């Protein structure tokens, strides 16, 4: 005897309701329960995702008397004492680019590199005067040495387009690249964005900033023709050039502005490929492994344990429609967002907001943002602290 259709329909409806109820009672970080239904959180807008660091301190960090905040794009955690290393651009509100001219750390001769106490924001160290034009990326190696990428060049052609290594006390220990001479030859840089030291002491530099504005095949072809770069260069621990990989493009292993670098515990190199709205992952020889696409138009990345923090500073109505700025957080081994720190509001970005360019996370889970030209006014200063409590 066949089962009546009405009974089958009733049983099916009950099974669906039971399944939804089970989901509702075991919500993952990516779901919300609302009036008996399950709503999936939105990683593009951040709606429905938890904020793990909701207490916002604008204008975080102290400045020496008489100084005003300039912009930044980088921040890192000291692996030895857990305090904050960062820089600000000598009171300058926008980055001086490759061609020189305008205000910069070359014209406003101040110490751009700071170490802050992570709890009080007090200055613990301040150095780097007279060395750089426009600091852009920063990282601290296992010995506590501070590495800085100098993105700009001065008008005289004597400074910039280099990477510098400083001791924790501020002594300059090493410089890579040719001072003031941008180029694409081996060992040269053309607007370097970031630097990181690998597990064996090798040095990796993300080079080339302007490809993010190349939005047509013709623009990419023109950039390649004039020698613009978007690549990763690898050096030995003592600064000898080893190899480069990548060029301007959209294929895996190509970039449109590799803006930030980080290594994970599996010794994989993560590259924030900002113009292509993705993160690319490589081994230490430059072999492509995989990508992440759920983090927006990424400017900065920080890896803490098995968690990735990525800050989107640039998504806006005309370059990444509907994607909201802010810090997206997710597991390393999945392309999935589990938490989100929202941006500051800004009228000319409609509902998309504005956020910083660099990101770092301390031992307590507090998140620090390095504010760039788009977000400095809303943040009130070069650094913002998002505290857990």
């Amino acid at each position: 005897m066949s089962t009546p259709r009405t009974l089958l329909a009733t049983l099916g409806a009950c099974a669906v309701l039971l399944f939804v109820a089970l989901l509702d009672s075991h919500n993952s970080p990516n779901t919300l329960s609302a009036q008996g239904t399950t709503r999936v959180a939105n990683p593009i807008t951040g709606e429905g995702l938890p904020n793990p660091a909701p207490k916002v301190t604008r204008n975080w960090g102290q400045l020496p008397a008489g100084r005003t905040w300039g912009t930044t794009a980088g921040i890192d955690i000291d692996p030895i004492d857990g305090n904050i290393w960062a820089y600000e651009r000598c009171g300058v509100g926008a980055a001086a680019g490759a061609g020189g001219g305008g205000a910069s750390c070359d014209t406003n001769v101040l110490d751009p590199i700071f170490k802050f106490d992570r709890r009080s924001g007090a200055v613990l160290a301040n150095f780097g005067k007279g060395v750089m034009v426009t600091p852009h990326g920063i990282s601290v190696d296992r010995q506590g040495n501070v590495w800085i990428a100098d993105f700009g060049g001065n008008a005289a052609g004597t400074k910039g387009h280099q990477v510098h290594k400083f001791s924790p006390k501020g002594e300059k220990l090493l410089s890579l690249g040719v001072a003031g001479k941008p180029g694409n030859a081996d060992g040269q840089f053309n607007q370097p964005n970031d630097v990181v030291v690998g597990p064996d002491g090798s040095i990796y530099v993300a080079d080339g900033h302007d490809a993010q504005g190349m939005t047509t095949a013709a623009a990419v072809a023109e950039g390649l023709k004039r020698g613009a770069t978007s690549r990763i260069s690898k050096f030995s621990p003592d600064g000898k050039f080893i190899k480069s990989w990548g060029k301007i493009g959209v294929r895996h292993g190509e970039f449109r502005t590799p803006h930030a670098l980080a290594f994970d515990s599996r010794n994989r190199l993560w590259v924030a490929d900002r113009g292509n709205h993705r993160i690319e992952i490589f081994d230490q020889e430059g072999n492509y492994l995989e990508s992440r696409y759920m983090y927006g138009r990424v400017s900065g990345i920080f890896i803490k344990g098995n968690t990735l923090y990525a800050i989107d500073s640039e998504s806006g109505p005309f370059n990444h429609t509907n994607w909201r700025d802010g810090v997206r957080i997710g597991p390393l081994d999945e392309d999935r967002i589990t938490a989100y720190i929202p941006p500051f509001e800004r009228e000319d970005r409609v509902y998309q907001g504005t956020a910083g360019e660099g990101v770092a996370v301390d031992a307590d889970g507090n998140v620090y943002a390095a504010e760039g030209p788009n977000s400095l006014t809303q943040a009130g200063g070069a650094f913002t602290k998002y505290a857990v409590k």
Side-chain angles (χ1 to χ4, degrees):
M1 180 176 170
S2 62
T3 305
R5 290 184 181 182
T6 53
L7 179 58
L8 286 173
T10 302
L11 290 172
C14 290
V16 170
L17 289 171
L18 177 61
F19 180 65
V20 170
L22 287 171
L23 281 177
D24 225 18
S25 64
H26 297 86
N27 277 330
S28 74
N30 279 349
T31 61
L32 277 185
S33 175
Q35 297 180 346
T37 62
T38 300
R39 179 164 60 90
V40 178
N42 189 335
I44 294 174
T45 65
E47 293 175 295
L49 287 165
N51 180 353
K55 183 180 177 182
V56 181
T57 302
R58 303 185 189 219
N59 196 23
W60 182 85
Q62 300 173 21
L63 269 181
R67 285 186 65 162
T68 57
W69 287 118
T71 62
T72 181
I75 192 166
D76 203 5
I77 305 294
D78 191 301
I80 299 170
D81 63 21
N83 288 309
I84 312 300
W85 285 99
Y87 62 83
E88 70 87 26
R89 292 173 176 147
C90 307
V92 178
S104 68
C105 287
D106 184 53
T107 58
N108 296 344
V109 185
L110 301 168
D111 289 312
I113 302 170
F114 284 85
K115 184 179 187 180
F116 298 103
D117 183 286
R118 71 183 180 93
R119 293 182 175 87
S120 68
V123 176
L124 303 176
N126 185 208
F127 55 77
K129 180 189 297 184
V131 177
M132 289 165 280
V133 178
T134 306
H136 195 280
I138 185 170
S139 66
V140 186
D141 65 25
R142 294 177 182 177
Q143 291 72 45
N145 299 306
V146 182
W147 296 78
I148 299 280
D150 187 6
F151 151 89
N154 65 353
T158 58
K159 290 181 188 175
H161 303 289
Q162 287 192 286
V163 166
H164 303 289
K165 175 186 179 182
F166 295 89
S167 76
K169 295 183 177 180
E171 299 97 349
K172 186 160 75 73
L173 304 176
L174 178 69
S175 294
L176 306 176
V178 182
K181 308 298 181 189
N184 59 9
D186 290 350
Q188 263 188 307
F189 304 125
N190 186 353
Q191 301 181 336
N193 298 309
D194 201 10
V195 54
V196 70
V197 176
D200 65 351
S202 296
I203 307 155
Y204 298 79
V205 179
D207 184 45
H209 192 279
D210 61 353
Q212 64 185 13
M214 300 175 191
T215 57
T216 66
V220 169
E222 188 277 330
L224 292 169
K225 184 177 180 180
R226 63 178 165 82
T229 56
S230 257
R231 64 183 181 180
I232 309 300
S233 291
K234 180 179 179 179
F235 297 81
S236 67
D238 60 355
K240 293 183 174 61
F241 176 81
I242 296 175
K243 67 187 298 185
S244 290
W245 73 87
K247 63 178 183 178
I248 301 169
V250 298
R251 297 178 184 274
H252 294 309
E254 300 176 345
F255 311 99
R256 287 193 304 127
T257 303
H259 203 267
L261 303 172
F263 270 97
D264 65 16
S265 61
R266 292 166 55 186
N267 299 331
R268 299 179 299 177
L269 178 64
W270 294 60
V271 181
D273 184 12
R274 185 160 82 176
N276 284 326
H277 304 169
R278 66 188 181 188
I279 299 169
E280 297 273 90
I281 308 171
F282 301 89
D283 68 18
Q284 295 171 65
E285 298 306 312
N287 298 306
Y288 168 77
L289 301 175
E290 52 186 301
S291 300
R292 302 286 183 268
Y293 296 97
M294 296 307 299
Y295 289 85
R297 189 174 166 93
V298 182
S299 288
I301 51 179
F302 189 89
I303 295 172
K304 181 177 173 61
N306 292 316
T307 303
L308 173 66
Y309 296 76
I311 191 164
D312 178 348
S313 70
E314 285 209 343
S315 288
F318 302 108
N319 66 359
H320 203 199
T321 306
N322 297 324
W323 282 75
R324 195 136 155 84
D325 286 6
V327 180
R328 290 180 175 84
I329 304 164
L332 278 188
D333 292 330
E334 300 176 61
D335 198 3
R336 180 168 63 93
I337 307 304
T338 58
Y340 173 76
I341 299 173
F344 299 114
E345 297 302 333
R346 189 172 139 178
E347 283 300 318
D348 62 343
R349 285 177 178 253
V350 196
Y351 68 92
Q352 289 179 257
T354 189
E357 295 198 21
V359 64
V361 186
D362 70 14
D364 296 323
N366 302 310
V367 178
Y368 302 79
E371 305 294 344
N374 287 329
S375 55
L376 182 69
T377 301
Q378 288 75 21
F383 307 105
T384 304
K385 182 176 182 177
Y386 299 90
V388 174
K389 58 182 180 180

